[in-house]
Amino acid sequence: MKDAHARFRFYSEACQRHLAVLERNLRRLADHLPLTAETVDALLGTDEGLWILDQIAYRYLKLQDTLGKLVRAFFALKGEAVEQMTMIDLINLAAKLGHPMDEALWMKLRALRNEITHDYPGSRAEVAQAVNQLAALLPKIQAFLERLRRDAV
C-alpha cells in the first residue's frame, strides 16, 4: 500500500507542477486573452511568444497525460482493480463518486490536447480557441485535483 501512496503523491505533485507552469504562462498572455488567430500569429513571430505557446502546449500535454495516471493511481490506492479499466470507466467512476470530472469534460480535455499542438499556418484560429478553452477549464482541472487529493487520505 505504501507504493500506492508514493505513486499517487508523485503524480499529484507532477500535476500541480504542470498546472502552475500553465497558470504562469497564461498570466503572461493576460493582455492578449482571449487569443485570436492574429494574436497567435504575432506571438509565434517573437521568441518570447513562441516560447510561451510552446510551454503551454508542452505542459498541457504533460498535465493531461499525468492526470490520467493520477486518476488510475487514485483508484488503485482505494483498492479498485484498475488494470483492466479504461480511462473513461475510471472517469465515470470518479463522476459517480461526486468528483468534478465526467466523460464529457474528459473528452473535451482530450480534444484540447490535439488542438493546442497544431503548428501549421492555417491552424492559428484552432490554437487560439484551444488556449482560450484551456484558460477557462483550468479551474475545473484544479478542482478535480484538489478533490482527488482530499479523497486520497
Side-chain angles (χ1 to χ4, degrees):
M1 192 60 108
K2 187 176 182 180
D3 289 337
H5 284 285
R7 191 169 48 252
F8 179 84
R9 191 172 40 259
F10 175 81
Y11 291 134
S12 176
E13 289 169 1
C15 283
Q16 197 57 51
R17 209 171 31 254
H18 299 314
L19 191 61
V21 172
L22 279 168
E23 289 171 339
R24 277 195 304 273
N25 282 293
L26 286 168
R27 278 193 303 273
R28 287 184 172 132
L29 294 179
D31 292 342
H32 305 287
L33 293 176
L35 295 183
T36 64
E38 294 75 23
T39 310
V40 169
D41 202 42
L43 288 166
L44 291 174
T46 68
D47 287 343
E48 183 180 1
L50 175 62
W51 183 83
I52 290 170
L53 290 175
D54 282 351
Q55 275 293 297
I56 289 171
Y58 175 75
R59 288 299 172 162
Y60 180 66
L61 291 171
K62 297 294 284 181
L63 174 63
Q64 212 273 326
D65 182 55
T66 308
L67 188 57
K69 293 175 183 176
L70 179 65
V71 170
R72 194 169 290 282
F74 171 80
F75 283 113
L77 185 64
K78 293 298 183 183
E80 295 286 335
V82 296
E83 297 80 23
Q84 301 301 317
M85 293 179 77
T86 67
M87 197 63 225
I88 293 301
D89 290 338
L90 292 170
I91 293 300
N92 287 333
L93 183 55
K96 284 180 188 173
L97 295 175
H99 287 252
M101 179 65 67
D102 60 19
E103 186 174 344
L105 179 55
W106 184 259
M107 295 310 287
K108 185 182 287 191
L109 295 176
R110 291 289 300 169
L112 266 180
R113 181 184 174 123
N114 298 329
E115 294 167 11
I116 211 162
T117 58
H118 287 163
D119 62 355
Y120 46 87
S123 67
R124 303 298 195 242
E126 291 175 23
V127 171
Q129 180 181 358
V131 171
N132 294 335
Q133 285 181 343
L134 176 58
L137 290 172
L138 279 184
K140 290 183 179 188
I141 297 170
Q142 181 67 43
F144 184 50
L145 284 171
E146 288 172 9
R147 176 70 186 266
L148 286 171
R149 281 195 293 266
R150 189 182 80 219
D151 288 356
V153 233

